[in-house]
Amino acid sequence: MAIKTLGSLVASRSFSKVYTTHLLSSHATCPLLEYLHQEFISKNQQLKDLIKQKQWLIHHVATHTGLPPTIDSLFEVQDPLFCESQHNMINTTSGWLAVNGTFHDIMALRDLPNSLLYPTPQMARLRSGVLLTEIVSNMKAKINKSLDTDLVLYSAHDDTIVGLLSALKYFRYPEFPAVQPQYSTSIAIELHEKGPSNFVVNVYLRNETNSPNLRLFPVPIKGCKDSCPSSLFTSLLLDMLVKDIETECQLAKPRSKERQASGDSFTGVAVLGALTGLFLVILVGAYWIYCKQKNNTTYQLIPLTEEP
């Protein structure tokens, strides 16, 4: 029996088009993801230590680029400098890029921003859960014979690669952090029919450029072998699938000042009422004890003068 496959390919840097949807774009608006990312970055000790160590480099880059002296500026110049160096558009052996090994120090940090893009399962899900959900949906449709397409291709960017591999639980911070994808890196997700109602999923990564051999490296799915039964594949990644990304991206709305003031007033009234009730209970209790003691008192006549 011939093996039928349904492949999904994500190739980085193939086109310059900027996607604006949650399917492929890393710039799609997601307030919750932005909040979680900023919170993670602000508490990340690795980044704090790096900032202290790289103060000279940060200010040196800021001086020659006009960017603010921040670690974000250092990350921002990495990609343009790398692209220009690959096309021989800049000389990295002279000028400010050569001072104290500036260019090499910048390139040595290329993996770090990628490892901090989607370091938690929740963040990976918010960014790439939509893409993974569509891939799983296409495979289910193919199994149910409701999809005629044999190959689905997606073209996006390097951070799309990082996001999808994170959603697949391949990249796991901090034990196995994400790295910078090379030019034309791609992911192939294949659905194979080995027999009646017997479907398996294989995931491959091609991360080489200008190689004479097209090599696809198997991407292991945690909890499964290389050829993962489709039902198990879906089950293992169920927590990464998304139903309504627009709703899930929303931040919980804080209480308005009016509602907060009303709530505070209600709390104050409740506390005052409780204290008043407690005071009345104590007062009634004290009066009851007084009356009981009065009724049990025995009176005795005390003469005013002593009898002889």
Side-chain angles (χ1 to χ4, degrees):
M1 176 182 292
I3 296 178
K4 299 178 181 178
T5 66
L6 175 66
S8 298
L9 183 70
V10 181
S12 67
R13 304 179 186 277
S14 295
F15 298 95
S16 60
K17 180 179 179 180
V18 177
Y19 292 83
T20 57
T21 67
H22 288 279
L23 182 65
L24 297 173
S25 175
S26 61
H27 304 290
T29 302
C30 185
L32 178 57
L33 176 60
E34 294 172 8
Y35 170 80
L36 292 173
H37 187 260
Q38 290 300 321
E39 183 180 48
F40 180 87
I41 292 297
S42 66
K43 297 179 180 179
N44 187 267
Q45 191 60 46
Q46 179 188 11
L47 192 59
K48 291 180 180 180
D49 293 340
L50 180 68
I51 292 173
K52 291 180 181 179
Q53 297 170 6
K54 300 296 182 181
Q55 279 300 302
W56 180 88
L57 182 63
I58 290 173
H59 284 83
H60 180 64
V61 170
T63 299
H64 292 277
T65 61
L67 295 172
T70 64
I71 192 68
D72 289 334
S73 297
L74 199 59
F75 295 155
E76 187 175 341
V77 300
Q78 289 175 341
D79 201 49
L81 288 176
F82 175 78
C83 295
E84 291 176 350
S85 67
Q86 292 295 303
H87 294 283
N88 298 318
M89 297 174 63
I90 56 174
N91 184 0
T92 62
T93 61
S94 64
W96 69 274
L97 287 175
V99 178
N100 291 339
T102 294
F103 178 79
H104 296 290
D105 284 350
I106 293 174
M107 292 301 105
L109 298 174
R110 290 191 76 214
D111 288 340
L112 182 59
N114 287 276
S115 70
L116 300 177
L117 278 175
Y118 320 113
T120 69
Q122 183 183 12
M123 294 166 66
R125 179 176 177 273
L126 288 171
R127 177 51 70 210
S128 296
V130 173
L131 176 57
L132 181 60
T133 300
E134 179 165 296
I135 292 172
V136 170
S137 177
N138 285 338
M139 288 194 296
K140 288 182 177 179
K142 189 66 178 180
I143 292 173
N144 296 329
K145 302 184 184 304
S146 59
L147 180 66
D148 294 330
T149 302
D150 290 329
L151 182 65
V152 179
L153 295 176
Y154 301 95
S155 177
H157 296 276
D158 48 359
D159 46 14
T160 312
I161 294 286
V162 173
L164 183 56
L165 288 175
S166 299
L168 289 168
K169 303 179 183 179
Y170 177 68
F171 288 143
R172 300 180 302 278
Y173 185 91
E175 62 268 22
F176 188 55
V179 297
Q180 172 66 49
Q182 299 184 38
Y183 274 136
S184 299
T185 295
S186 58
I187 302 172
I189 303 178
E190 300 179 350
L191 176 67
H192 294 258
E193 182 180 9
K194 289 192 171 183
S197 301
N198 183 12
F199 293 87
V200 297
V201 179
N202 291 332
V203 182
Y204 298 100
L205 174 66
R206 179 181 181 270
N207 63 351
E208 293 185 343
T209 303
N210 298 326
S211 173
N213 299 316
L214 180 62
R215 299 184 61 188
L216 296 176
F217 298 93
V219 175
I221 301 300
K222 191 175 181 179
C224 199
K225 297 180 180 179
D226 292 341
S227 292
C228 189
S230 60
S231 58
L232 180 57
F233 177 85
T234 302
S235 177
L236 291 171
L237 299 173
L238 191 62
D239 59 334
M240 303 304 288
L241 304 184
V242 177
K243 292 183 178 179
D244 185 353
I245 189 61
E246 295 291 343
T247 299
E248 295 188 31
C249 273
Q250 297 304 311
L251 282 169
K253 293 183 179 180
R255 293 189 305 170
S256 63
K257 293 183 178 180
E258 292 77 7
R259 291 182 61 188
Q260 185 175 0
S262 175
D264 293 342
S265 298
F266 177 78
T267 302
V269 172
V271 172
L272 181 60
L275 291 176
T276 302
L278 179 60
F279 175 75
L280 290 176
V281 169
I282 294 174
L283 184 62
V284 171
Y287 179 74
W288 178 80
I289 294 173
Y290 168 77
C291 292
K292 186 174 182 181
Q293 289 180 344
K294 182 178 179 181
N295 293 334
N296 293 335
T297 303
T298 302
Y299 292 93
Q300 183 179 1
L301 181 62
I302 302 176
L304 296 177
T305 57
E306 294 183 1
E307 294 182 2

